[in-house]
Amino acid sequence: MAAPAVHRERPSANGDLVSWMAGTQLLARAVTVLLYLREREEPVTVGEIAQALSVPANTVYRIVRTLEMGGLVDRSHRPYVSLGLRMMDLGQAKQRLLARELAPFAMPVLEGLTADTDETSLLVMPTGARAICIFAVEPSRAIRLSYQPGRVFPLYAGASGKILLPWVSPQIVESAIAQADGHPLPDGRRLTAPRLRREMASMRAAGYCVSHGEVDAGAGAVAAPVFGKGGQIFAAVSVAGPEGGFLDDRLPGLIERVLAAAAEIGRHVVARP
């Protein structure tokens, strides 16, 4: 008699806190350790990691030792743990890959957008419950907003990341909303889950997002989504700069140009082999 088939669910990512089935639990915990270290400004101990992630200390110790062998964490200043230098190599490898695949058609669009608006243009892509800057083109004027590739944005605040939220997976949406609820903005306001859900509906209907001072005080932004094959969210295009350049009289023109740039990049993305 044949053994009954065992149903195995596919792993699902819940933002930056990954929860998988028992067969991949150790891998999930290793990923969570790396993401936790990414958020820390200073090295931490194994005990602090264990307490923060609610994982047994001996399990964290085994994970850290394994990651250390791959250069992904550094324990040269014991008892402290930090990200390893191999993470720089991995990041640069991904950056080179994206440059080869996307820069030939994305950079001319961003350069044209900056020339038209005199604001900083960004191409941002979703990564878990965050967004990350892939390319940035700055204007030549002295007073401008400066972002470097690799800058990480939340999905719950600021047009550049928030415009992605209506089209990511439900698990990531719930993770972002949980992060947002009660989060203070630079101007002292606090985000709420109901407000973010209303903004998601508005962004989906309008096809763009405008923000003022949500991530950086005194900064404004306009963003639009870039869709790939099958209508899947691929990235976002935005312009960002000092808030004075994002007043009502300029917004219609900025929105029109950002929408056009996002659509043009989307056409190239869909046409890729």
Side-chain angles (χ1 to χ4, degrees):
M1 181 177 176
V6 177
H7 174 68
R8 295 185 182 276
E9 298 179 6
R10 295 178 62 186
S12 61
N14 181 18
D16 283 352
L17 295 177
V18 183
S19 55
W20 295 346
M21 293 182 63
T24 51
Q25 186 181 53
L26 191 60
L27 176 59
R29 285 175 168 175
V31 171
T32 305
V33 167
L34 290 173
L35 293 172
Y36 175 79
L37 292 174
R38 160 63 181 84
E39 299 298 325
R40 305 280 71 77
E41 294 292 334
E42 297 179 354
V44 293
T45 66
V46 166
E48 289 170 334
I49 298 172
Q51 183 176 11
L53 302 182
S54 300
V55 176
N58 59 346
T59 300
V60 173
Y61 179 72
R62 291 197 302 271
I63 290 170
V64 165
R65 287 194 61 186
T66 302
L67 293 173
E68 182 185 22
M69 292 175 63
L72 300 177
V73 303
D74 179 19
R75 291 202 307 146
S76 58
H77 298 286
R78 288 178 176 80
Y80 296 103
V81 182
S82 61
L83 289 177
L85 294 176
R86 187 65 190 277
M87 299 298 291
M88 294 177 63
D89 175 49
L90 294 175
Q92 289 170 354
K94 182 62 175 178
Q95 194 170 16
R96 289 192 297 269
L97 177 63
L98 290 171
R100 288 196 302 271
E101 292 184 346
L102 305 181
F105 61 82
M107 285 300 290
V109 176
L110 296 179
E111 289 165 356
L113 184 58
T114 290
D116 288 343
T117 63
D118 204 27
E119 304 291 355
T120 299
S121 298
L122 306 175
L123 181 71
V124 174
M125 296 181 71
T127 174
R130 305 284 193 278
I132 190 165
C133 176
I134 306 301
F135 303 124
V137 177
E138 298 179 11
S140 58
R141 59 190 175 94
I143 300 177
R144 60 185 185 271
L145 208 58
S146 182
Y147 290 120
Q148 295 298 315
R151 166 74 183 265
V152 174
F153 299 97
L155 292 185
Y156 54 78
S160 299
K162 189 163 60 174
I163 189 59
L164 299 166
L165 195 57
W167 291 280
V168 296
S169 72
Q171 295 94 334
I172 291 177
V173 168
E174 294 307 315
S175 177
I177 289 176
Q179 294 172 33
D181 201 22
H183 179 83
L185 296 177
D187 63 4
R189 292 177 296 156
R190 288 191 176 272
L191 295 175
T192 66
R195 172 185 166 182
L196 190 55
R197 292 189 190 277
R198 289 193 298 270
E199 289 181 344
M200 286 177 58
S202 176
M203 288 185 290
R204 182 179 284 277
Y208 64 87
C209 178
V210 178
S211 65
H212 297 278
E214 292 187 359
V215 174
D216 297 302
V222 173
V226 175
F227 297 104
K229 293 180 180 178
Q232 296 295 310
I233 189 68
F234 179 79
V237 169
S238 66
V239 291
E243 200 166 14
F246 290 78
L247 302 179
D248 290 347
D249 59 333
R250 282 197 77 204
L251 281 179
L254 292 174
I255 292 167
E256 180 182 2
R257 287 171 174 81
V258 169
L259 286 170
E264 184 175 353
I265 291 177
R267 286 191 291 271
H268 286 284
V269 171
V270 171
R272 291 191 307 169

